[in-house]
Amino acid sequence: MKIYLYIILASMLLFAPSAFGQNNITINADQELSNINHHIYGHFAEHLGTGIYEGVWVGEDSEIPNTEGFRTDVLEALKQLEIPNIRWPGGCFADEYFWMDGIGPREDRPKRINTHWGMVIEDNSFGTHEFLRLTELLDAEPVVAMNVGSGTPRELQQWIEYMNYDGDSDMANLRRENGREDPWGVKYVGVGNESWGCGGNMRPEYYADLYRRFATYTRNYSGNEIFRVASGYDSDRYWWTDTMMERAGDMMEGLSLHYYTIAGPNWQEKGSSIDFREDEYFSGLKTALRLDEIITGHSNRMDRHDPEKRVAMVVDEWGIWTDPLPGTEPGFLQQQNSMRDALIASLSLDILNRHSDRVRMANIAQMVNVLQAMILTDGEQMLKTPTYHIFDMYRVHFDTKLLQTHINVADYEYDGDSIPTISLTASKNDNGQLNITMTNLNAQEAQVADITIRGQDVRRAHSGRLLTAEEVNAINTFENPDNITIRDFDQFSLDGNHLSMTLPAKSVVVLTLE
Ligand code: AHR
């Protein structure tokens, strides 16, 4: 009797995924769930620290090589990401920004104090024309966050008229005087940012009414249809979503959500971006995985009021937020970007993709030099972060169909706690190609993934791309900017519709099948 028990226990252990790092995945290629909108891969550029000044804009007279005042190296690097949209000018900055400060001859523009971010002087040399030129150079859609906290509906109305009207009005003519004949046709506008906090400290009932008032004046000029994004809450304050949907849902096209990952114990001790070990690696990943629960919670509230999912969820700030780098101005939110952060990006993007029936736009915070940035600069120097490479690898999912997957994967266990080792997105593009991005979160062990593709014959796999590093806290530096970079990946075999791959510890892989 005893011997049978041992045999049963042994075979249970043998087939239990957690014991041997065995991971079984089925991709149903004929089960298309939702469209993965390319706007999920959007970015955010706030007037914060060196996010704009120095990071993107240096002015035409700078010694740093530039194109019309924009850093050429940064432009070239960003072009490769095919950035779908950029949100600007904040963030908290947006609710203290008066757009007329940032138009006209630069030498005449007023100097203001950036009260949120280091009390530095904002000279307004980067304003509406500069931002919209940047989006043109990058072929990205602008997302303009309007000032509700300290602005007026009239300012909002005139800003939109200035940007979008092609007729003979004072605002359109002012735009022409400032050198721009054609309207830009800005579609996406935010109507308030964190209106429960830095955007006015409002209650949802009050903000819902104020939102309705401001949203009334977001006019559709010259055939351009505005898409309005209302301010949502961060993390799990679901009642805000309920109130906004109930009271103002009919006047919005999108409702935002912010979610920042903190690897340390709390907001006062967020943890270092360089000096951490497996404990804050694990806690960072675990906290990032909560995005799934948070989106589900807000989605459920939105479903109550909008079962057709007309209103998009717009996750317009997400990413890891660490303690500022030692020796930097705390208000500049400067942090390094490690292999851990690349994995936080890939698993967050997987979550956003999985919710793409409701999440149709998102913006990582932020694009350059601030928080989880794509690019870091120092004077003339520039580097691409590991997170940049994730955004490069994930481009395969732009405007594709999310495929249904079933996963039975091992646990990554640490200090008595565990998370699923593997995160993935499988999608199908218009040419019928299947793209798989797969992340192994385990810091120590490689994982074998056995993948069965159902519903479509697979003939070949293109050679893959891999991002990994020796250590979880490995970073790119100006001395060694390609320490973490994309490499070819060939640790896979395809046998009919069965794909087997070996994912190195702490790695992300992208593979195309057809
Ligand atoms: O991204 C930094 C800040 O985080 C934004 O300005 C604000 O919206 C959020 O609190």
Side-chain angles (χ1 to χ4, degrees):
M1 187 65 193
K2 236 178 179 176
I3 188 101
Y4 285 123
L5 202 62
Y6 284 135
I7 291 171
I8 291 168
L9 277 174
S11 57
M12 275 170 73
L13 276 177
L14 194 63
F15 294 109
S18 55
F20 294 96
Q22 187 64 40
N23 305 281
N24 297 308
I25 295 160
T26 304
I27 298 175
N28 288 317
D30 53 355
Q31 301 295 314
E32 300 173 357
L33 299 181
S34 49
N35 292 322
I36 300 179
N37 196 313
H38 66 303
H39 282 302
I40 287 176
Y41 293 81
H43 293 257
F44 174 32
E46 181 166 8
H47 286 239
L48 194 176
T50 52
I52 302 247
Y53 300 111
E54 183 188 318
V56 174
W57 175 255
V58 287
E60 286 105 335
D61 300 333
S62 171
E63 290 187 353
I64 297 179
N66 66 83
T67 309
E68 302 173 39
F70 303 96
R71 290 181 73 121
T72 307
D73 53 356
V74 171
L75 276 183
E76 290 311 312
L78 292 177
K79 270 183 197 160
Q80 199 185 324
L81 296 184
E82 299 180 291
I83 287 180
N85 70 74
I86 307 174
R87 178 174 181 248
W88 171 86
C92 295
F93 181 82
D95 281 289
E96 269 191 85
Y97 181 62
F98 292 93
W99 70 272
M100 284 207 178
D101 291 351
I103 57 170
R106 288 196 195 104
E107 58 281 10
D108 297 343
R109 297 186 191 174
K111 289 188 168 47
R112 309 276 186 206
I113 308 166
N114 189 334
T115 56
H116 286 288
W117 307 119
M119 299 297 276
V120 294
I121 295 300
E122 164 64 61
D123 71 2
N124 283 298
S125 52
F126 189 94
T128 299
H129 289 250
E130 289 77 14
F131 170 63
L132 293 172
R133 183 67 188 136
L134 172 68
T135 59
E136 283 178 339
L137 290 169
L138 294 176
D139 200 16
E141 285 270 357
V143 180
V144 178
M146 304 266 151
N147 179 345
V148 170
S150 67
T152 64
R154 185 172 174 80
E155 283 157 5
L156 165 143
Q157 179 268 315
Q158 291 186 327
W159 196 3
I160 296 175
E161 182 183 327
Y162 183 91
M163 294 189 289
N164 288 353
Y165 188 54
D166 68 357
D168 178 22
S169 77
D170 56 346
M171 284 298 123
N173 290 332
L174 183 59
R175 179 190 72 234
R176 292 187 185 100
E177 270 170 43
N178 288 330
R180 174 76 185 200
E181 175 59 37
D182 295 332
W184 287 280
V186 172
K187 178 180 174 66
Y188 298 98
V189 299
V191 183
N193 169 73
E194 297 197 351
S195 303
W196 41 267
C198 65
N201 282 305
M202 296 176 235
R203 295 174 305 117
E205 294 80 8
Y206 180 79
Y207 169 61
D209 281 349
L210 199 64
Y211 173 85
R212 295 188 75 85
R213 182 166 166 233
F214 276 70
T216 303
Y217 303 100
T218 54
R219 302 291 185 204
N220 291 331
Y221 296 107
S222 309
N224 179 68
E225 254 187 56
I226 294 276
F227 184 107
R228 297 159 297 189
V229 182
S231 165
Y233 220 113
D234 72 348
S235 52
D236 56 2
R237 274 78 156 207
Y238 303 126
W239 40 265
W240 179 278
T241 292
D242 243 336
T243 309
M244 286 304 296
M245 289 301 291
E246 187 187 329
R247 297 183 177 220
D250 60 321
M251 292 187 72
M252 64 178 76
E253 284 68 49
L255 179 60
S256 85
L257 170 69
H258 291 179
Y259 185 72
Y260 284 104
T261 294
I262 304 295
N266 54 52
W267 276 87
Q268 284 65 48
E269 303 159 277
K270 294 186 278 295
S272 165
S273 58
I274 336 174
D275 188 12
F276 62 89
R277 293 170 195 280
E278 196 170 345
D279 54 348
E280 283 192 2
Y281 168 77
F282 184 87
S283 61
L285 299 178
K286 191 168 176 188
T287 312
L289 283 166
R290 259 203 95 207
L291 176 60
D292 194 22
E293 173 197 327
I294 304 288
I295 292 181
T296 304
H298 286 284
S299 272
N300 290 344
R301 300 310 199 283
M302 290 177 83
D303 284 351
R304 286 183 193 167
H305 307 274
D306 175 33
E308 306 297 324
K309 301 190 193 295
R310 185 191 64 80
V311 179
M313 186 185 295
V314 178
V315 186
D316 54 12
E317 290 185 28
W318 67 270
I320 179 162
W321 190 326
T322 70
D323 291 336
L325 280 173
T328 61
E329 157 63 50
F332 283 11
L333 312 187
Q334 274 179 278
Q335 58 192 52
Q336 247 292 357
N337 194 290
S338 62
M339 190 62 216
R340 172 194 62 186
D341 304 343
L343 302 184
I344 286 175
S346 65
L347 67 88
S348 301
L349 289 169
D350 289 339
I351 293 168
L352 296 171
N353 291 338
R354 272 208 295 285
H355 288 278
S356 51
D357 59 335
R358 180 67 88 175
V359 177
R360 301 199 281 273
M361 183 179 263
N363 306 78
I364 188 165
Q366 298 195 4
M367 194 165 73
V368 180
N369 285 339
V370 178
L371 299 178
Q372 188 169 355
M374 306 300 111
I375 285 176
L376 301 179
T377 66
D378 183 14
E380 283 210 355
Q381 307 184 91
M382 183 213 83
L383 64 80
K384 298 172 182 171
T385 66
T387 298
Y388 172 99
H389 296 303
I390 295 297
F391 272 74
D392 190 7
M393 292 165 84
Y394 269 66
R395 280 182 299 137
V396 294
H397 297 306
F398 281 16
D399 293 322
T400 58
K401 299 276 188 286
L402 176 73
L403 297 178
Q404 186 190 60
T405 53
H406 292 292
I407 64 171
N408 179 18
V409 299
D411 276 343
Y412 163 32
E413 294 175 1
Y414 180 79
D415 198 21
D417 203 350
S418 67
I419 54 176
T421 309
I422 286 184
S423 168
L424 85 154
T425 297
S427 70
K428 190 196 280 197
N429 67 21
D430 287 346
N431 302 324
Q433 287 175 322
L434 309 182
N435 285 296
I436 307 170
T437 43
M438 199 170 288
T439 302
N440 174 11
L441 299 175
N442 194 307
Q444 315 293 349
E445 291 170 11
Q447 299 290 312
V448 173
D450 284 317
I451 303 160
T452 303
I453 293 113
R454 272 200 56 269
Q456 180 170 322
D457 287 338
V458 177
R459 286 185 303 280
R460 68 187 187 105
H462 293 266
S463 64
R465 304 169 85 202
L466 165 77
L467 194 76
T468 191
E470 288 294 311
E471 305 294 337
V472 291
N473 63 351
I475 55 172
N476 288 339
T477 61
F478 296 111
E479 294 70 41
N480 189 4
D482 292 325
N483 182 35
I484 303 177
T485 194
I486 299 174
R487 293 184 237 148
D488 290 342
F489 174 72
D490 58 8
Q491 293 298 296
F492 63 89
S493 61
L494 184 68
D495 179 9
N497 270 31
H498 185 84
L499 174 71
S500 175
M501 57 167 119
T502 305
L503 304 163
K506 49 185 154 7
S507 71
V508 183
V509 159
V510 56
L511 210 59
T512 302
L513 307 177
E514 54 183 24

